[in-house]
């Protein structure tokens, strides 16, 4: 997981578009999707991706989907094998100034602090209190441990409620709107377009399953059982005779970087034919998908839109350039420019 | 996991029906299934479960499915929430004389033995060589460790091939036919019936994901991404530039007993409304499902058919009576008698 995406996010965020996001208008984006194969793609394309501008990226997607659904062609892929995996942070929704889940976690740690005087000497906690994000980024592991302690002992239902409550009330510091309003409209269209062409769409994220599952079905049309993510250990027990799952202060699985192909293997059991990411956290998932012997498509979001979102280019971690970019260029993966390829960024926002 | 299901399996197995299984006739059982809700159940029921005899079990299933699909009724459940989970060993296919996966693992350990002279003093290995199944059962953990060592270092593709090869050639010691021919015909019908009524069907098994995924889609109509099981740790790495997943000699997750609700939570993220098991390995999954606040159905296979399968009643572990049985009786779960409720046991076998 990458804690901190940009050193000078405050100054850059100040140039963001100030237009208000209207209520999410997701009609037509979260439909169940037919699983029938070989629909004539040309018939739905013009309507299916209206927020994608004509260009090489849109063309690559349409050509790929047209090929895998064309029965009898060498590029045909059986519907059961049409697995598409999407990173979440920075690929399906924004991730600035910090991963939204981290903002939630920081609130959680702050709330738990009074019960943990021992944290006062913890470097991650000190950085948190001081709002020193670079220092926090260099103590990522310590921070995750604080988070695990902060929510351990809760039942999964209690934890679910804290997440839903936070999502319902928290607002993005700059956009002043709910975080679930900061999903990318072109990706909502792409997800629906893929499902209409027989794909099964999955999220494969470094974020935790609990933080995504309460809203991914409504917003993305992706049900909980198709959300793969990081997780904390939970234990089954009877409490007063009632079956209960309780969170323990231990990280179970980190679904990031080399963990992503492992997560795909464990939860899906087939190699995807389409993968969409945006940073080094997605590099191995993209490599893995691109190593398929049949048709496949690897895509990378390029954050180059300072006016409408953020422009942090290939630097998603402090002082480090994403290698995924080099590999995308070298291997001919499809780079998607937010500035050039997307007509609209957020649902309901102006082009 | 329970290694050994019956002390005197040899004597009991000798009374098994000797009728030959013809080639699996699964037409109509592995269909993709519509996800549309609220089909008039009465229209399909009479054809859908022909291998189920009329009785309280069949009636309980039909009443339950009729209720959850009846739009506008208090028992209606939205299609997205219609999650059905099935144990595999002893619930969807036979598990005698030993779990079929154990028979595969024993072959694997034997094949790897020449490279491991240190195993000679290992109690599990000694029991294995001596065909001392009770002793093996009391060294279950040591055996699992041998198995993990035996297949570590393999890529997941290599391991997949050893399983497919074994399944293609191995024959059941008594029935002399492929193990995948020992699935239960009534359950194939039930799986298809549930899917036709908008259910999503999952396997939740103590067996490993690798041992089930090569055949569950073809035989049960359950795709790999809906197979939850035990797993070994795998690691992503580039070998000569090629993305590879390699098995490490470490158990990752045991999806049995209290692990089953945890596996359901991790991989599905919703509480099932129908669970079907047969032993204490399924007790917690059944409890968890039965604790739902809405409509739910918990079912237990009763192995009471010495003539057509095996009769080991409620003793699936040596010297221990399954508690699941007591709980089924106390809580009003539906007990399914193989002898009384099932017209046919295996596909193509005589009633």
């Amino acid at each position: 997981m990458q804690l901190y995406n940009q050193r000078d996010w405050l100054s850059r965020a100040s140039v963001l578009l100030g237009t208000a996001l209207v209520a999410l208008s997701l009609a037509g984006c979260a439909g169940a999707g037919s699983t029938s194969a070989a629909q004539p793609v040309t018939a739905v394309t013009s309507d299916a991706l209206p927020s994608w501008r004509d260009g090489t990226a849109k063309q690559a997607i349409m050509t790929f989907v047209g090929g895998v659904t064309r029965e009898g062609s060498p590029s045909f892929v059986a519907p059961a094998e049409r697995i598409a995996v999407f990173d979440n942070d920075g690929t399906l929704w924004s991730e600035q100034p910090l991963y939204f889940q981290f903002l939630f976690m920081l609130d959680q740690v702050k709330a738990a602090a009074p019960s943990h005087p021992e944290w006062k000497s913890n470097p991650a906690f000190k950085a948190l209190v001081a709002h020193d994000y670079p220092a926090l980024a260099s103590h990522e592991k310590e921070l995750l441990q604080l988070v695990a302690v902060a929510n351990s002992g809760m039942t999964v239902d209690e934890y679910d409620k804290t997440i839903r409550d936070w999502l319902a009330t928290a607002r993005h510091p700059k956009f002043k709107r709910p975080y679930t309003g900061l999903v990318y409209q072109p990706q909502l269209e792409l997800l629906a377009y893929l499902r209409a062409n027989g794909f099964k769409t999955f999220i494969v994220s470094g974020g935790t399953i609990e933080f995504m599952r309460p809203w991914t079905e409504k917003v993305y049309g992706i049900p909980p059982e198709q959300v793969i993510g990081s997780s904390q250990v939970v234990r089954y027990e009877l409490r007063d005779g009632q079956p209960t799952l309780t969170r323990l202060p231990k990280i179970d699985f980190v679904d990031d970087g080399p963990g992503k192909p492992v997560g795909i293997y464990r939860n899906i059991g087939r190699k995807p034919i389409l993968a969409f990411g945006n940073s080094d956290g997605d590099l191995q998932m993209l490599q893995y998908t691109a190593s398929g012997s049949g048709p496949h498509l690897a895509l990378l979001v390029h954050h180059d839109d300072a006016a409408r979102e953020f422009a942090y280019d290939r630097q998603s971690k402090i002082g480090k350039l994403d290698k995924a970019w080099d590999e995308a260029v070298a291997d001919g993966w499809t780079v998607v420019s937010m500035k050039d390829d997307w007509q609209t960024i957020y649902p309901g926002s102006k082009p």
Side-chain angles (χ1 to χ4, degrees), chain A:
Chain A
M1 294 177 109
Q2 296 156 354
L3 171 63
Y4 181 72
N5 286 305
Q6 194 175 320
R7 190 181 298 274
D8 55 347
W9 63 269
L10 272 174
S11 60
R12 296 206 197 179
S14 66
V15 300
L16 284 169
L17 266 189
T19 53
L21 264 191
V22 299
L24 283 181
S25 151
L26 300 175
C29 296
S34 154
T35 56
S36 64
Q39 298 192 19
V41 173
T42 47
V44 290
T45 301
S46 58
D47 292 323
L49 300 176
S51 301
W52 287 76
R53 292 196 186 113
D54 291 335
T56 51
K58 183 172 185 172
Q59 195 54 52
I61 292 168
M62 286 167 49
T63 302
F64 176 72
V65 172
V68 302
T69 54
R70 195 169 296 117
E71 232 160 332
S73 83
S75 58
F76 180 74
V77 175
E81 303 285 339
R82 292 183 205 156
I83 303 291
V85 291
F86 286 77
D87 168 55
N88 190 36
D89 299 310
T91 299
L92 292 179
W93 71 348
S94 292
E95 59 180 356
Q96 297 283 357
L98 284 176
Y99 288 142
F100 299 163
Q101 173 157 14
F102 269 106
L103 298 173
F104 161 70
M105 287 172 162
L106 298 182
D107 283 352
Q108 246 199 326
V109 169
K110 281 182 199 164
S115 316
H116 295 279
E118 75 279 11
W119 286 354
K120 278 180 187 151
S121 59
N122 182 299
F125 187 74
K126 284 198 281 190
L128 165 64
V129 172
H131 296 274
D132 182 352
Y133 293 125
L136 252 185
S138 67
H139 293 291
E140 193 174 326
K141 201 177 161 191
E142 288 90 342
L143 175 64
L144 285 173
Q145 201 51 46
L146 291 185
V147 170
V149 170
N151 65 49
S152 74
M154 281 190 195
T155 68
V156 299
D157 292 338
E158 288 162 354
Y159 188 56
D160 180 69
K161 187 175 182 315
T162 67
I163 291 166
R164 289 176 191 267
D165 288 349
W166 188 85
L167 286 170
T169 55
R171 293 296 177 268
H172 189 274
K174 291 295 154 192
F175 288 101
K176 310 294 181 199
R177 51 191 73 126
Y179 290 100
T180 51
L182 299 173
V183 297
Y184 301 138
Q185 176 64 26
Q187 299 291 56
L188 299 180
E189 295 167 8
L190 177 58
L191 289 167
Y193 172 63
L194 291 172
R195 288 192 292 264
N197 282 281
F199 281 76
K200 203 163 182 177
T201 52
F202 289 83
I203 291 174
V204 180
S205 171
T208 70
I209 51 179
E210 293 88 353
F211 192 71
M212 297 183 280
R213 285 174 170 169
W215 56 275
T216 56
E217 185 155 35
K218 189 176 167 194
V219 175
Y220 298 139
I222 298 180
E225 61 268 25
Q226 287 160 226
V227 175
I228 301 167
S230 298
S231 56
Q232 196 165 320
V233 175
V234 302
R235 182 177 60 204
Y236 177 85
E237 58 194 2
L238 292 178
R239 284 195 189 174
D240 300 326
Q242 198 58 22
T244 308
L245 293 168
T246 303
R247 296 171 63 79
L248 304 187
K250 192 178 168 194
I251 293 165
D252 176 39
F253 182 64
V254 178
D255 188 56
D256 201 35
K260 289 202 177 190
V262 173
I264 290 168
Y265 172 74
R266 297 196 327 175
N267 287 52
I268 304 178
R270 318 192 214 238
K271 190 175 281 190
I273 65 167
L274 184 151
F276 213 139
N278 82 303
S279 77
D280 270 3
D282 309 309
L283 175 60
Q284 289 82 359
M285 172 173 87
L286 291 161
Q287 286 173 341
Y288 182 61
T289 302
S291 72
S293 56
H296 54 262
L297 187 63
L299 303 120
L300 202 67
V301 175
H302 187 200
H303 290 272
D304 57 358
D305 196 330
R308 298 186 300 172
E309 203 233 13
F310 300 90
Y312 46 101
D313 195 52
R314 54 183 296 197
Q315 186 178 341
S316 69
K317 197 145 185 157
I318 296 170
K320 185 171 159 249
L321 294 180
D322 277 333
K323 286 184 202 163
W325 180 267
D326 301 325
E327 197 140 334
V329 172
D331 296 349
W333 298 348
T334 300
V335 174
V336 175
S337 159
M338 293 184 75
K339 185 157 61 79
D340 298 332
D341 290 313
W342 287 359
Q343 178 75 20
T344 307
I345 303 295
Y346 300 124
S349 66
K350 290 181 185 167

